[in-house]
Amino acid sequence: MIRVAVVDDEALVRSGLELILNSADDIEVVATATGFEAVGKIRDTHPAVVLLDIRMPDVDGLTVLSTLRALPETPVVAMLTTFDADEYILAALRSGAAGFLLKDTEPDQLTQSVRTLAAGGVVLSPRASLTLLNARSDSTGDSVLLLERLTDRERDVLMLLAEGLSNASVGARLHLSTGTVKDHVSTILTKLGVGTRVQAALVAQRAGLLRDRNDPGDDG
């Protein structure tokens, strides 16, 4: 079972997400909390994945994220966002969030996103991703130059990572061991000068790596 905690200041949102997630056979919501309650409940229940609202009136999500990142057992944290939370999305990315989900995400997509996060993958809602890309649109050229540091194999790994695949799934696709993929990911993060898989995925998106892959006229 994938243990999940939901943190949001609105009781209706918490209960709605809990109902959706608990309907999946492989997911269990072990805690729901406001921002003020979050850290204590997460310490007590040890969830693997935390869905964390970015903006809350008592203790904001960025503060909670920073505290969670310092815990000995760090859960995977995906931020719950609204369309107008651009500056908060950017700050959460810099603070190590593993993904971004909109609160109106479809139920099936929500449960699949939790599975992806638990497996070590990246989750970026299309609108949250667009926000980040637009905010850094002037850095496309820099991203292309960063990708030139990667070997062909590292670019292959990065493309799959940017699609949200876990290390195990990347390994299965490329016929590599999970350990080898993990080593590649570590090297990719170092070469790109980023700290998380999400940041690496955004570099790939800004540089057009995924677009190039899907281009039928691309022979490479």
Side-chain angles (χ1 to χ4, degrees):
M1 295 291 286
I2 301 171
R3 298 168 61 84
V4 179
V6 177
V7 181
D8 194 285
D9 63 301
E10 297 183 24
L12 185 61
V13 173
R14 294 196 303 271
S15 61
L17 293 176
E18 181 179 18
L19 181 65
I20 292 169
L21 294 173
N22 278 339
S23 69
D25 294 338
D26 57 340
I27 298 173
E28 178 186 8
V29 175
V30 295
T32 64
T34 64
F36 181 78
E37 303 165 332
V39 174
K41 286 195 174 184
I42 289 168
R43 280 177 173 154
D44 290 341
T45 56
H46 307 287
V49 175
V50 176
L51 303 183
L52 174 61
D53 187 16
I54 286 184
R55 292 189 291 185
M56 295 179 288
D58 49 2
V59 179
D60 71 87
L62 297 178
T63 299
V64 175
L65 173 61
S66 178
T67 303
L68 294 180
R69 293 281 293 170
L71 292 178
E73 297 180 12
T74 305
V76 176
V77 180
M79 309 305 295
L80 294 170
T81 74
T82 54
F83 187 46
D84 60 349
D86 297 6
E87 70 279 14
Y88 294 90
I89 293 173
L90 292 169
L93 172 64
R94 289 192 293 267
S95 299
F100 303 89
L101 291 169
L102 294 174
K103 291 185 181 182
D104 60 358
T105 297
E106 292 294 326
D108 288 347
Q109 184 181 349
L110 177 65
T111 54
Q112 186 55 47
S113 294
V114 167
R115 295 183 186 103
T116 298
L117 290 163
V122 170
V123 171
L124 289 173
S125 71
R127 288 194 299 187
S129 180
L130 182 61
T131 292
L132 294 165
L133 291 171
N134 288 341
R136 297 294 301 277
S137 60
D138 59 339
S139 63
T140 298
D142 292 339
S143 297
V144 172
L145 291 175
L146 285 173
L147 291 189
E148 292 180 357
R149 301 177 181 179
L150 305 182
T151 65
D152 289 343
R153 177 57 79 190
E154 288 163 356
R155 288 168 70 95
D156 291 340
V157 171
L158 177 58
M159 283 193 291
L160 296 178
L161 182 156
E163 292 178 8
L165 272 64
S166 66
N167 289 348
S169 297
V170 172
R173 189 80 66 88
L174 298 178
H175 307 291
L176 300 172
S177 71
T178 301
T180 298
V181 174
K182 185 177 180 180
D183 290 341
H184 279 311
V185 171
S186 178
T187 301
I188 289 167
L189 296 184
T190 299
K191 287 184 176 181
L192 297 184
V194 297
T196 70
R197 298 164 68 98
V198 175
Q199 292 168 330
L202 289 170
V203 171
Q205 290 176 330
R206 287 197 300 269
L209 191 60
L210 299 185
R211 181 181 64 248
D212 292 343
R213 177 179 182 163
N214 294 324
D215 184 353
D218 184 5
D219 295 330

